[in-house]
Amino acid sequence: MRKLSLLLIFNSLLITAQTPDEQKLKDIYDQSLTNSQSYSWLDHLSNKIGARLSGSANAQKAIEYTKAELDKLGLDRVYLQEVMVPHWVRGEKESAYIEINKKKIPVPICALGMSVATPEKGILAEVVEVQSIKELEILGVEKIKGRIVFFNRPMNNALVEPMEAYRDAGDQRGKGPREASKYGAVGVIVRSLTLRLDDFPHTGGTWYGDIPAAQHIPAAAISTNGAALLSKSLKTNPNLKFFFKQSCKKLDDVLSYNVIGEITGSEHPEQIMVVGGHLDSWDLGDGAQDDGAGVVQSMEVLRIFKLLGYKPKHTIRAVLFINEENGVRGGDAYAAVAQSSNENHIFAMESDSGGFTPRGFTIEGDEADVARIQRWKPLFEPYMLHLFAKGHSGTDVEPIKSSKIIKVGLKPDTQRYFDHHHAATDTFDAVNKRELELGAAAMTSLMYLVDQYGID
Amino acid sequence: MRKLSLLLIFNSLLITAQTPDEQKLKDIYDQSLTNSQSYSWLDHLSNKIGARLSGSANAQKAIEYTKAELDKLGLDRVYLQEVMVPHWVRGEKESAYIEINKKKIPVPICALGMSVATPEKGILAEVVEVQSIKELEILGVEKIKGRIVFFNRPMNNALVEPMEAYRDAGDQRGKGPREASKYGAVGVIVRSLTLRLDDFPHTGGTWYGDIPAAQHIPAAAISTNGAALLSKSLKTNPNLKFFFKQSCKKLDDVLSYNVIGEITGSEHPEQIMVVGGHLDSWDLGDGAQDDGAGVVQSMEVLRIFKLLGYKPKHTIRAVLFINEENGVRGGDAYAAVAQSSNENHIFAMESDSGGFTPRGFTIEGDEADVARIQRWKPLFEPYMLHLFAKGHSGTDVEPIKSSKIIKVGLKPDTQRYFDHHHAATDTFDAVNKRELELGAAAMTSLMYLVDQYGID
């Protein structure tokens, strides 16, 4: 592409602000794209601190770092909110192989978050492959007992929206081990939740629910290439054995914190608007996309308001939640304090789908709530945001209860998200500076509009 | 992001095809996302062949490879179209440094495409920094003669659309050297056309126009970090010297080819619809984004039609143009043959903005033409395409003349494009498989609709 001279211009992209709101959005975008701090904050969180699993020393460093950075912004209040969080540790690097006629073929795995360890010597057992939890029932105890259950339903590449494909395949990881245990399985291997074929296992939480501790069986994710190999091998060698070994464990809960920064409202200080992401991350990458991006974008909202000298009518809080990945204790604690203090939340926004080019917002509420947010859609057209649809907001803001509240999620382009999500590939270099900044600008713009006009 | 259970669903994204057109687009997208060949073609073009500068051995390999691959698709006609192309070679790796008080600070540069070499010993001269070609006139011969002109106007990060920022800054590269030469400059250094601050120089064509050969002065791009350093150094040391050395040269023109694959129309074989990208690339990366992506997407359009057993009414041609980057000889030759053969082209589409998530199409034509394409916008909504605006189509299809023709360009998300464009960072790993495939699906879908309904 070399064309310079005759490029016709998108009329819609020549942004000429006319109304005060158009001007304010332009100011917000200008600052976000030319004078941002989000990317350098993310660089520090990712490269100087790194993975931030709840209860870890790194999580504590991230809490201290983001609080110190918020302290520099001249906000009205910056504080930590105590939260007891689970403390799961991965232990030694896991190992796994397929054993066919004494030949051992190594495959990449990682323990699922919150899983128990295997016995110290590992587990060696025959494998039964299934595509769904429902299939367990059909196979029954007879075919499952003493075996490793291998959940191998791929994320569906035909779905245009990767989040849908994640939702469709995710039950295998979240409750597959719990369900397989009921039929006497000795372990569970889950195909990694990604749309790519590669060699990176993707972790993520699994939940034993209320089954007795003695029935908690070890569970690991296998890379998609590994899953393909295992599945192919089973077709010709149904009695092959699979070996895996992991030493992860759950330690005692640890005192941790949500980090909160606040600009007090000038007209309605008692009405609170939240913007947030989560500080914790899985431990395999550095958590830049999930959810360092949402953290620094939320901080940037406050920073841009201060930069522009904007004095919000409502109280604006950036909340950097702890423990989204394996407990949501931060989200629950925030909501509990809000409830016990009789706080009145009117709006909550979360960014937890990666720092990619923003496409719009998902709006959680009734049709009237969706319409309230959609009325601002034309203001976002020059910035190429176009999706304003009903949808999930965010896991951390979900617990917040108020008599009248609208919750939204930033909706970025997620085509690349599951290349990185919960894997060693979730690293800073996978985040594009402008895409991250455009997300922060979109979030700040919507916070501004809700602050100006409320949600009624 | 761990949320699985309560994800509400985008209503708009649940694709339930009802009309035949909706069903056809769904079929096209299904094939594109689950059964594509574009990514593996691109892997070969990028990693097995590599950079494909016009006239190079690699360009010839790419011609042979893509023709052979088109031959496998069972098309009605696959052929090469002769084109004489310029043959510019970079020569040895360039070198450059800033000299301040005998201290030499190396900086990364690369010759601009079509530039002449420096003398064998290089050029060492004082530097005059300008922000625009207009500024040359103000400075005049007195301040420019014998010096190196340093064009340092950055691409404007405040613009939401990077293509606009490229257009705004690009004259410095395209005609800066020619204009500076008129004032007696001995060389030109241009700030790389990228929105990032990094160490990669970005090449691209420069054009001496009709000034005498003796006045062709050597021109190079400097990395943005290098440009920042040079500019800063000039503020404290206005008499510093800059050295650069390059041995690039223009050899004799070479016989090369456009590669053309065709499905003959069943109802209007004489009415031709073109879809294309360009086979040549700059020589620093492997040309995956610019424009390997457009090449394989264009091939995929024909492949998907064949896969679906779709028999187009009009003749559909994929044209893989040679020499977009430094001459547009392929585009000109194609148009010349079309004209001399009295061919009737009704539609032409180009993909030459990278293989990123598609956002829509830019439409070149009058208002009525734009409206003709826009009427299909609702069909693309489930696939998250939303931009259907007047704009440039593509450099290669621009020369095509016909009594009645609409030209469009695929419009992807270009936030990352200039991280890679014309630089060593334009490599296969910067292309995401799904984003590439979504582009091919969008292109195939629009080709289908135009084929079904024509452009009247």
Side-chain angles (χ1 to χ4, degrees):
Chain A
M1 210 280 298
R2 70 172 186 87
K3 195 69 199 176
L4 294 171
S5 52
L6 284 175
L7 242 186
L8 302 178
I9 289 162
F10 284 88
N11 293 320
S12 63
L13 302 181
L14 277 183
I15 299 163
T16 42
Q18 291 174 324
T19 68
D21 287 340
E22 286 171 355
Q23 185 59 50
K24 188 62 77 181
L25 263 61
K26 186 173 183 315
D27 293 344
I28 289 169
Y29 270 84
D30 280 356
Q31 289 299 326
S32 299
L33 288 170
T34 64
N35 186 21
S36 77
Q37 205 164 335
S38 51
Y39 193 67
S40 65
W41 278 330
L42 187 62
D43 187 5
H44 188 104
L45 270 182
S46 309
N47 292 320
K48 294 287 197 307
I49 298 177
R52 303 170 295 280
L53 194 52
S54 289
S56 67
N58 273 1
Q60 182 60 28
K61 280 185 204 168
I63 288 162
E64 288 163 15
Y65 170 68
T66 50
K67 177 171 184 305
E69 291 300 308
L70 287 172
D71 276 331
K72 294 178 192 168
L73 298 184
L75 307 175
D76 296 313
R77 201 175 159 214
V78 177
Y79 60 104
L80 301 182
Q81 183 175 59
E82 294 191 353
V83 189
M84 291 302 293
V85 297
H87 188 196
W88 179 87
V89 294
R90 184 169 299 280
E92 283 170 35
K93 184 156 174 49
E94 306 84 345
S95 66
Y97 55 79
I98 301 167
E99 184 176 298
I100 305 175
N101 304 327
K102 311 263 167 175
K103 197 179 147 198
K104 297 172 181 177
I105 309 163
V107 286
I109 67 154
C110 66
L112 291 184
M114 309 304 272
S115 171
V116 296
T118 58
E120 211 173 317
K121 292 188 307 181
I123 290 176
L124 181 70
E126 289 189 355
V127 176
V128 53
E129 175 178 341
V130 298
Q131 302 297 309
S132 68
I133 289 172
K134 207 177 163 61
E135 223 177 297
L136 298 173
E137 201 180 319
I138 299 160
L139 291 168
V141 171
E142 192 192 346
K143 301 233 171 93
I144 294 173
K145 195 178 164 86
R147 292 199 169 85
I148 291 169
V149 169
F150 167 37
F151 287 99
N152 192 31
R153 184 167 86 260
M155 275 175 66
N156 182 357
N157 259 300
L159 294 169
V160 172
E161 172 52 58
M163 288 290 176
E164 290 297 310
Y166 181 63
R167 187 186 63 89
D168 279 2
D171 64 332
Q172 300 173 100
R173 188 197 77 206
K175 56 185 187 180
R178 171 173 83 214
E179 298 304 320
S181 154
K182 295 178 184 168
Y183 296 90
V186 294
V188 162
I189 298 294
V190 180
R191 181 191 179 95
S192 282
L193 293 173
T194 174
L195 290 156
R196 287 182 67 91
L197 282 173
D198 65 23
D199 298 317
F200 297 98
H202 293 234
T203 190
T206 193
W207 315 101
Y208 296 115
D210 52 10
I211 61 173
Q215 291 172 31
H216 293 192
I217 57 173
I222 186 170
S223 72
T224 45
N225 278 339
L229 178 66
L230 178 55
S231 182
K232 190 178 152 198
S233 304
L234 281 166
K235 284 187 179 55
T236 44
N237 296 281
N239 300 116
L240 66 76
K241 289 187 173 172
F242 191 87
F243 171 85
F244 75 116
K245 186 178 149 185
Q246 57 194 31
S247 58
C248 46
K249 60 184 164 188
K250 214 168 150 260
L251 307 175
D252 289 342
D253 286 2
V254 166
L255 176 62
S256 189
Y257 306 92
N258 292 327
V259 180
I260 303 177
E262 182 177 305
I263 304 176
T264 308
S266 59
E267 289 183 23
H268 308 291
E270 80 292 355
Q271 295 184 16
I272 298 164
M273 295 171 53
V274 162
V275 59
H278 64 85
L279 261 180
D280 65 307
S281 75
W282 283 108
D283 55 329
L284 299 175
D286 62 34
Q289 292 284 15
D290 187 11
D291 181 31
V295 163
V296 299
Q297 287 171 327
S298 299
M299 293 165 69
E300 190 82 321
V301 171
L302 297 189
R303 183 176 164 274
I304 293 172
F305 280 160
K306 292 300 287 186
L307 260 179
L308 295 178
Y310 179 68
K311 297 195 191 314
K313 299 175 181 178
H314 307 82
T315 292
I316 311 269
R317 263 188 208 157
V319 184
L320 317 180
F321 296 94
I322 196 70
N323 188 228
E324 191 268 355
E325 295 294 0
N326 55 342
V328 202
R329 300 271 189 91
D332 286 339
Y334 181 83
V337 170
Q339 189 138 27
S340 66
S341 317
N342 279 316
E343 285 183 349
N344 177 15
H345 282 74
I346 64 162
F347 187 73
M349 177 193 298
E350 183 156 355
S351 167
D352 185 20
S353 301
F356 307 100
T357 302
R359 302 292 293 263
F361 298 96
T362 45
I363 305 150
E364 205 161 325
D366 59 25
E367 292 305 325
D369 292 335
V370 172
R372 282 182 188 97
I373 303 299
Q374 278 178 338
R375 69 184 146 153
W376 294 310
K377 188 176 169 184
L379 282 167
F380 286 96
E381 257 168 41
Y383 305 101
M384 295 192 269
L385 269 72
H386 62 112
L387 287 170
F388 287 72
K390 197 164 183 155
H392 177 61
S393 54
T395 304
D396 298 295
V397 299
E398 198 179 291
I400 303 172
K401 304 268 180 278
S402 247
S403 59
K404 180 66 193 152
I405 181 169
I406 299 182
K407 299 175 192 173
V408 308
L410 179 71
K411 168 66 194 155
D413 185 321
T414 53
Q415 296 303 329
R416 284 134 60 213
Y417 190 45
F418 294 97
D419 298 0
H420 309 286
H421 183 251
H422 295 185
T425 49
D426 182 357
T427 50
F428 180 68
D429 60 301
V431 178
N432 175 276
K433 182 169 183 281
R434 281 179 61 87
E435 294 185 355
L436 180 76
E437 291 168 348
L438 286 166
M443 291 163 68
T444 311
S445 297
L446 185 56
M447 292 294 284
Y448 159 78
L449 291 164
V450 173
D451 182 57
Q452 280 294 300
Y453 300 102
I455 56 164
D456 292 324
Chain B
M1 211 280 297
R2 69 173 188 86
K3 195 69 198 174
L4 294 169
S5 53
L6 284 176
L7 242 186
L8 301 178
I9 290 162
F10 284 87
N11 293 320
S12 62
L13 301 180
L14 276 182
I15 299 163
T16 43
Q18 292 175 322
T19 68
D21 287 339
E22 286 171 354
Q23 184 60 49
K24 188 63 78 181
L25 263 61
K26 188 174 183 315
D27 292 345
I28 289 169
Y29 270 85
D30 279 355
Q31 289 298 325
S32 300
L33 288 170
T34 64
N35 185 23
S36 76
Q37 204 164 335
S38 51
Y39 193 66
S40 66
W41 279 329
L42 187 62
D43 187 5
H44 188 103
L45 269 182
S46 310
N47 292 321
K48 294 287 197 305
I49 297 177
R52 303 170 294 280
L53 193 53
S54 289
S56 68
N58 272 2
Q60 182 60 27
K61 279 185 203 167
I63 288 162
E64 289 163 15
Y65 170 69
T66 50
K67 177 172 184 305
E69 291 300 308
L70 286 172
D71 275 333
K72 294 178 191 168
L73 299 183
L75 307 175
D76 296 314
R77 201 174 158 214
V78 177
Y79 61 104
L80 302 183
Q81 184 174 58
E82 294 190 354
V83 189
M84 291 302 293
V85 297
H87 188 195
W88 179 86
V89 294
R90 184 169 301 278
E92 284 170 34
K93 185 155 174 49
E94 305 84 345
S95 65
Y97 54 79
I98 301 167
E99 186 176 297
I100 305 174
N101 305 328
K102 310 264 169 177
K103 198 180 146 199
K104 298 172 180 176
I105 310 163
V107 286
I109 66 153
C110 67
L112 290 184
M114 309 305 272
S115 172
V116 295
T118 57
E120 211 172 317
K121 293 187 306 182
I123 290 177
L124 181 70
E126 288 189 357
V127 176
V128 53
E129 176 178 340
V130 298
Q131 303 296 310
S132 68
I133 288 171
K134 206 176 164 60
E135 224 177 296
L136 297 173
E137 203 179 318
I138 298 160
L139 291 168
V141 171
E142 191 192 347
K143 301 232 170 94
I144 295 174
K145 195 176 163 88
R147 292 201 170 83
I148 292 168
V149 169
F150 167 38
F151 287 98
N152 193 32
R153 183 168 85 260
M155 277 174 66
N156 182 357
N157 258 300
L159 294 169
V160 172
E161 173 52 58
M163 288 291 176
E164 290 297 310
Y166 180 62
R167 187 186 63 88
D168 279 2
D171 64 332
Q172 301 173 98
R173 188 196 78 207
K175 57 184 187 181
R178 172 173 82 215
E179 297 304 319
S181 155
K182 295 178 184 167
Y183 295 89
V186 294
V188 162
I189 298 293
V190 181
R191 181 191 179 93
S192 283
L193 294 173
T194 174
L195 290 156
R196 287 181 68 90
L197 282 173
D198 64 23
D199 298 319
F200 297 99
H202 293 234
T203 190
T206 194
W207 314 101
Y208 295 114
D210 52 11
I211 62 173
Q215 291 172 30
H216 293 191
I217 56 173
I222 187 170
S223 72
T224 45
N225 278 339
L229 178 66
L230 178 54
S231 181
K232 191 179 153 195
S233 305
L234 282 166
K235 283 186 182 56
T236 45
N237 296 282
N239 300 117
L240 65 77
K241 290 187 172 173
F242 192 87
F243 171 86
F244 75 115
K245 186 178 151 186
Q246 57 193 32
S247 59
C248 46
K249 59 183 163 189
K250 214 168 150 258
L251 307 175
D252 290 341
D253 285 2
V254 167
L255 177 62
S256 190
Y257 306 92
N258 292 327
V259 180
I260 303 177
E262 182 177 304
I263 304 175
T264 308
S266 58
E267 290 182 22
H268 308 291
E270 78 293 353
Q271 294 183 17
I272 298 164
M273 295 170 53
V274 162
V275 59
H278 64 85
L279 261 180
D280 66 306
S281 75
W282 283 109
D283 56 329
L284 299 175
D286 62 33
Q289 292 285 14
D290 187 11
D291 181 32
V295 163
V296 300
Q297 287 171 327
S298 299
M299 293 165 69
E300 190 83 319
V301 170
L302 297 188
R303 184 174 163 276
I304 293 172
F305 280 159
K306 293 300 286 186
L307 260 179
L308 295 177
Y310 178 67
K311 297 194 190 317
K313 299 175 181 178
H314 306 83
T315 291
I316 311 269
R317 262 186 209 159
V319 184
L320 317 181
F321 296 94
I322 194 72
N323 189 227
E324 192 268 353
E325 295 293 1
N326 56 340
V328 202
R329 300 273 189 89
D332 286 339
Y334 181 84
V337 170
Q339 189 138 27
S340 67
S341 315
N342 279 317
E343 284 182 350
N344 177 14
H345 282 74
I346 63 161
F347 187 73
M349 177 193 297
E350 183 155 355
S351 166
D352 185 20
S353 301
F356 306 99
T357 302
R359 302 293 293 264
F361 297 96
T362 46
I363 304 151
E364 204 160 325
D366 59 25
E367 293 303 325
D369 293 337
V370 173
R372 281 182 189 97
I373 303 299
Q374 278 178 338
R375 70 184 144 153
W376 294 311
K377 188 176 169 185
L379 281 168
F380 286 96
E381 257 169 40
Y383 305 100
M384 294 192 270
L385 269 71
H386 62 113
L387 287 171
F388 287 72
K390 196 164 183 155
H392 178 59
S393 54
T395 304
D396 298 295
V397 300
E398 197 178 291
I400 303 172
K401 304 269 181 278
S402 245
S403 58
K404 179 66 194 151
I405 181 170
I406 299 181
K407 299 175 191 171
V408 308
L410 179 71
K411 168 66 194 157
D413 184 319
T414 54
Q415 296 303 328
R416 283 134 61 212
Y417 190 46
F418 295 97
D419 298 359
H420 308 286
H421 182 252
H422 295 186
T425 48
D426 182 359
T427 50
F428 180 68
D429 60 300
V431 179
N432 175 275
K433 182 170 183 281
R434 280 178 62 86
E435 294 185 355
L436 180 76
E437 291 167 348
L438 286 166
M443 292 163 67
T444 311
S445 297
L446 186 55
M447 292 293 285
Y448 160 78
L449 290 165
V450 174
D451 182 58
Q452 280 292 301
Y453 300 103
I455 56 164
D456 293 323

